[in-house]
Amino acid sequence: MRNKNDRNGQTLGSVIHTLSGSVREYKKASILTPLFVAGEVCLECILPFVMAELIDDLSGNSVQPILKYGAILLAFAMCSLLFGVLSGRFAATASSGFAKNLRTDLFDKVQDLSFQDVDRFSTSSLVTRMTTDVTNVQNAYQMLIRIAVRTPLMMLFSLIMSFTINARIALIFLCMVPVLAVIIFGISLKVMPVFRRIFRKYDAMNESVEENVSGIRVVKAFVREDYEKDKFHKASGTVQKDFTMAEKILAWNTPAMNACMYVALFLVSYLGARLIINTAGTGFTTGGLSSLITYGVQILSSIMMLSMVFVMTSMAQESAERIAEVLNYTPTLTSPENAVTTVPDGSVDFDHVSFQYSSHSKRKALTDINLHIKSGESVGIIGGTGSSKSTLIQLIPRLYDATDGVVKVGGRDVKTYDLVSLRDAVAVVLQKNVLFSGTILDNMRWGNENATEEEIERCCRLACADEFIQQMPDKYNTWIEQGGTNVSGGQKQRLCIARALIKKPKILILDDSTSAVDTKTDALIRRAFAEEIPDTTKIIIAQRITSVQDCDMILVMDGGRIVEQGTHDELISKGGIYREIYDSQTGRKEAV
C-alpha cells in the first residue's frame, strides 16, 4: 500500500488543490489578470485587420483614410497598452503574494513537525523547498495567469481572423500547430527527468553548505578548508552538469519553432502573392496578405511562448510536488482530541518503555525502561556516550513518542496532553541549545514573552548568568549574534538555563548543559535550584559525578538500559559502573 505521505503518490490535481489554498487574499488579482489579458489580446488581434483596411483604402489621392484608420489604431493601441499594464501589475501582485503565503504556510508547517519528521525531510531539503522551490512555483504561477492565458487566446483569435481573410491560406498555420505541439511534447519528455535529478542534488548541495557554515570553527580548527571546498565544488559541479544537459535539450526549442515559423511565413507569402497576381487583386488584396502574415507571426509566436510556459511549468511541477509533500504531510506527533491542558505536577513515570528511531533500525535506542520520579525530586543521569541518556529525556516532553510502553507526566500518559501545554510545563536545556539574534532580554523572553525585567534578572541570578551580564556594556540590552557567537560556551549555557527557568516549569531537564562551566559555578547553580525551585522536578544529565552526586536519585545508563539506580552512597557501595566512573574522575577510591 502506498503511504499517504509519499510524494510519488500525489496526483497533479491534488498538488494544485493543495497549493491553491495559499492564494487566499490574492484571488481577486489572480482573476483580474487573465481578464485584462483577454482584453489586451482582443484589441491586438483587431489591429492587423484595421491595418489591412487602411492599406487597401490608400489611393494616394487623399489623407482621409490615414486619419480615419490612424485614429482607430491609436485608440485600440492605447487601450491594449492599458490592459497590458494592468494585467502585468495584477500578475505581479498575485504571484508575489501567492509566494509569500506559500512560504508562510511552509514555515508554519515546519514548526509543527517533530524531530523525527525533520530528520525524514532533512533541514537542507526544507530550506530548499522554502526558497528555490517556492521561487520556481511563483514564476510559473505568474506565467500561468498571464502568458498561459494570453498565448492560447492569441492563437485562437488570430486563427479565426486568418480564416475570415482567406481560409485556404490560413490552413497552413493550422497544420503547423500539431507539428509544433509534438516538438514541445518531445522536448518536455526529455527534460523533465533531468529537472527531477537537479532538485535532489540541490538538497545535497545545500546540506553541504549548511554543514560547513554551522561547523566552520571545527573546519578551521582542523584546517579542512580545502577539503570542504573540494566537496562543495563537486556538489556544485554535478548541479551544473545536469543544468547544462537540460539547457542543451531546451536549446532545440527555439530553432525548431523558428524553422516552422519561417516555413509557414514563406508558404503564406508565396501563395498569397500568387493569388494576388492571378486575381489582379480581386480575390486577395495586399492588405489581406499583410494582415495574414501578421496573424501568422502572432500564431507561431504564441506557440513559442506556450512552449516556454510548458518548460517553466514542467520545471515548477517538481517544485510544486516537493512543496505539497510538506504541506500535506501529517506530523507524527499531534495533540489528541479533547486534550488535557493542565499538568498537575512534575512527577514522571516510565512503564516498560522502549524506543527506536525508525522501524528500520536494527536495535532499540531504549529497552524496557521502568522509572518513577516523584514531583520535586532531583534525578541525575550518567552514562557513556551513546547510552541513550538524551533519548530518554526527549520522551518526556514528546519530542519523540515511545515505541512501546507508556510515559506519564503528572500521572497521565503524555499522549493525552495538549502538546503546547505539556511542553510549557517541561523546560529542556538541550545539549545543543542555541541563542538567537537579538538582545539578552529578547532571548530570555523565549521562555515567557510577558516576563518582566525583574523576573528575567532573578532567573539569570539562579543560573549564575547575572554576574557576567552586569559586566557587559549594555547589560541586559546587549546584542547577541545569531547562534550566540559573541558569548563563550559557558555563558551561552547559563543563558539557556535562565531562559528555561523563566518558563516556571514543573519539570526542568538539563541535558549536559553545565559541561562548559567550572565546577564552582556548577555547584552554585545546583544549590540555587535546590533552594529557589524545590517543587520543580529536576533531571540532570551530566558527565561529571560532582554534577549529580547530591541528587535524590542517580541513574546509570548503558546500551539503552538503566543498569544502576540509587543515591550516591548506595551506588558507591555497590562497586559497579558508577563506582568506576567516580574513581576515574576523582583519582582515588572511597572506602566501601
Side-chain angles (χ1 to χ4, degrees):
M1 181 182 293
R2 191 184 296 275
N3 189 298
K4 67 180 176 180
N5 289 322
D6 183 3
R7 177 161 62 96
N8 295 326
Q10 297 181 121
T11 63
L12 181 59
S14 67
V15 171
I16 293 173
H17 180 266
T18 299
L19 267 58
S20 63
S22 297
V23 177
R24 291 198 289 276
E25 69 268 31
Y26 298 98
K27 284 181 181 178
K28 180 180 177 181
S30 299
I31 293 171
L32 287 175
T33 298
L35 290 178
F36 281 117
V37 167
E40 179 189 15
V41 170
C42 287
L43 292 170
E44 283 188 18
C45 287
I46 293 173
L47 288 174
F49 192 81
V50 177
M51 279 295 299
E53 294 294 320
L54 172 61
I55 292 171
D56 290 339
D57 279 5
L58 285 175
S59 61
N61 298 323
S62 172
V63 296
Q64 189 65 31
I66 297 176
L67 295 175
K68 174 186 173 183
Y69 289 110
I72 296 172
L73 288 171
L74 180 62
F76 281 4
M78 292 302 294
C79 289
S80 178
L81 177 63
L82 176 63
F83 286 165
V85 170
L86 290 174
S87 68
R89 290 187 62 180
F90 281 117
T93 300
S95 61
S96 59
F98 170 57
K100 179 203 72 173
N101 287 346
L102 206 53
R103 288 192 186 94
T104 302
D105 293 344
L106 272 171
F107 189 81
D108 291 347
K109 186 71 176 186
V110 169
Q111 302 310 303
D112 293 333
L113 298 180
S114 66
F115 284 9
Q116 184 178 348
D117 298 330
V118 173
D119 292 342
R120 177 190 182 277
F121 286 107
S122 86
T123 305
S124 59
S125 178
L126 290 171
V127 170
T128 304
R129 294 172 204 234
M130 281 190 279
T131 51
T132 304
D133 287 337
V134 170
T135 300
N136 288 338
V137 171
Q138 175 186 351
N139 293 335
Y141 185 70
Q142 184 168 9
M143 293 191 78
L144 284 171
I145 62 175
R146 193 179 184 199
I147 307 301
V149 173
R150 175 186 172 83
T151 49
L153 286 178
M154 178 67 77
M155 187 164 57
L156 178 63
F157 290 166
S158 295
L159 274 172
I160 292 171
M161 297 300 289
S162 298
F163 272 87
T164 60
I165 294 170
N166 190 295
R168 292 179 63 187
I169 296 178
L171 282 172
I172 295 171
F173 301 134
L174 194 61
C175 292
M176 283 295 174
V177 172
V179 175
L180 292 172
V182 169
I183 293 172
I184 294 170
F185 185 70
I187 290 173
S188 67
L189 284 180
K190 287 282 187 182
V191 82
M192 273 302 295
V194 181
F195 281 129
R196 287 195 176 96
R197 288 204 307 270
I198 287 172
F199 287 114
R200 286 195 296 270
K201 291 177 180 179
Y202 255 131
D203 289 346
M205 185 173 69
N206 287 343
E207 187 173 356
S208 176
V209 173
E210 180 197 9
E211 187 178 52
N212 179 268
V213 173
S214 62
I216 192 66
R217 287 173 173 77
V218 178
V219 173
K220 291 188 176 298
F222 283 87
V223 197
R224 296 286 281 178
E225 291 92 341
D226 291 338
Y227 171 80
E228 289 294 322
K229 287 177 184 177
D230 183 58
K231 187 171 73 171
F232 179 78
H233 288 163
K234 286 179 180 177
S236 180
T238 57
V239 173
Q240 179 262 337
K241 183 179 178 181
D242 279 345
F243 257 122
T244 302
M245 183 184 297
E247 291 298 331
K248 285 180 179 178
I249 296 171
L250 293 175
W252 287 95
N253 189 47
T254 301
M257 296 293 154
N258 285 335
C260 291
M261 179 185 290
Y262 295 146
V263 169
L265 293 179
F266 170 75
L267 291 174
V268 168
S269 300
Y270 175 73
L271 295 176
R274 282 194 60 180
L275 190 59
I276 292 171
I277 294 170
N278 291 336
T279 62
T282 57
F284 195 49
T285 64
T286 305
L289 177 61
S290 173
S291 60
L292 204 58
I293 290 173
T294 303
Y295 285 128
V297 171
Q298 287 180 343
I299 292 168
L300 299 173
S301 297
S302 295
I303 297 174
M304 288 185 66
M305 289 298 294
L306 199 60
S307 70
M308 290 176 58
V309 172
F310 195 77
V311 169
M312 177 65 74
T313 52
S314 296
M315 184 172 70
Q317 182 180 341
E318 178 69 12
S319 292
E321 289 176 359
R322 286 158 52 86
I323 293 169
E325 181 189 14
V326 177
L327 293 177
N328 289 329
Y329 185 79
T330 303
T332 54
L333 299 180
T334 56
S335 298
E337 292 185 15
N338 303 317
V340 179
T341 57
T342 303
V343 180
D345 57 56
S347 62
V348 178
D349 298 285
F350 283 73
D351 293 333
H352 299 285
V353 170
S354 296
F355 173 77
Q356 58 189 86
Y357 284 99
S358 168
S359 58
H360 304 295
S361 301
K362 293 182 179 179
R363 70 179 188 86
K364 294 180 178 180
L366 293 171
T367 304
D368 197 29
I369 301 295
N370 283 289
L371 175 64
H372 304 285
I373 304 171
K374 296 178 182 178
S375 183
E377 279 190 329
S378 59
V379 178
I381 304 177
I382 199 164
T385 302
S387 58
S388 297
K389 303 184 297 295
S390 297
T391 303
L392 178 73
I393 58 96
Q394 287 175 0
L395 300 181
I396 298 172
R398 281 196 77 193
L399 299 178
Y400 291 96
D401 267 342
T403 307
D404 298 303
V406 178
V407 179
K408 296 179 180 179
V409 169
R412 287 180 174 271
D413 187 340
V414 291
K415 294 179 182 179
T416 65
Y417 284 110
D418 173 71
L419 275 175
V420 174
S421 300
L422 174 64
R423 290 173 182 172
D424 272 343
V426 182
V428 184
V429 184
L430 293 170
Q431 199 170 5
K432 295 182 180 179
N433 243 317
V434 296
L435 297 173
F436 297 87
S437 55
T439 65
I440 292 176
L441 286 175
D442 293 335
N443 271 276
M444 293 302 102
R445 288 192 172 111
W446 272 64
N448 178 3
E449 61 182 11
N450 298 316
T452 64
E453 290 193 30
E454 291 75 18
E455 290 174 323
I456 292 172
E457 287 182 18
R458 176 180 176 276
C459 290
C460 286
R461 282 194 294 271
L462 287 176
C464 295
D466 182 71
E467 56 185 67
F468 70 81
I469 294 174
Q470 294 296 342
Q471 296 174 8
M472 292 179 168
D474 297 319
K475 296 183 171 53
Y476 282 85
N477 288 310
T478 299
W479 185 265
I480 300 295
E481 300 295 339
Q482 184 180 13
T485 55
N486 58 331
V487 292
S488 70
Q491 291 172 337
K492 185 191 297 186
Q493 285 189 337
R494 282 179 277 174
L495 288 171
C496 289
I497 292 171
R499 181 174 63 188
L501 289 173
I502 289 171
K503 291 179 70 174
K504 298 178 181 177
K506 289 184 170 62
I507 301 171
L508 174 64
I509 300 172
L510 305 180
D511 186 359
D512 204 17
S513 50
T514 57
S515 58
V517 302
D518 58 84
T519 53
K520 179 183 177 182
T521 304
D522 186 13
L524 289 173
I525 293 173
R526 285 185 285 110
R527 185 185 304 162
F529 287 174
E531 294 173 356
E532 300 290 335
I533 50 173
D535 297 328
T536 298
T537 302
K538 296 165 281 292
I539 301 175
I540 303 169
I541 295 176
Q543 297 295 331
R544 295 187 299 223
I545 292 287
T546 53
S547 297
V548 300
Q549 66 181 19
D550 295 327
C551 291
D552 299 315
M553 178 169 55
I554 301 171
L555 309 176
V556 181
M557 296 192 65
D558 185 40
R561 296 176 182 270
I562 297 174
V563 293
E564 294 180 12
Q565 180 176 334
T567 64
H568 171 76
D569 293 335
E570 289 171 349
L571 294 175
I572 288 292
S573 65
K574 287 181 180 179
I577 296 175
Y578 184 85
R579 176 62 182 266
E580 291 177 8
I581 298 172
Y582 177 82
D583 290 343
S584 66
Q585 288 186 4
T586 59
R588 62 187 176 84
K589 291 190 176 183
E590 189 172 301
V592 178

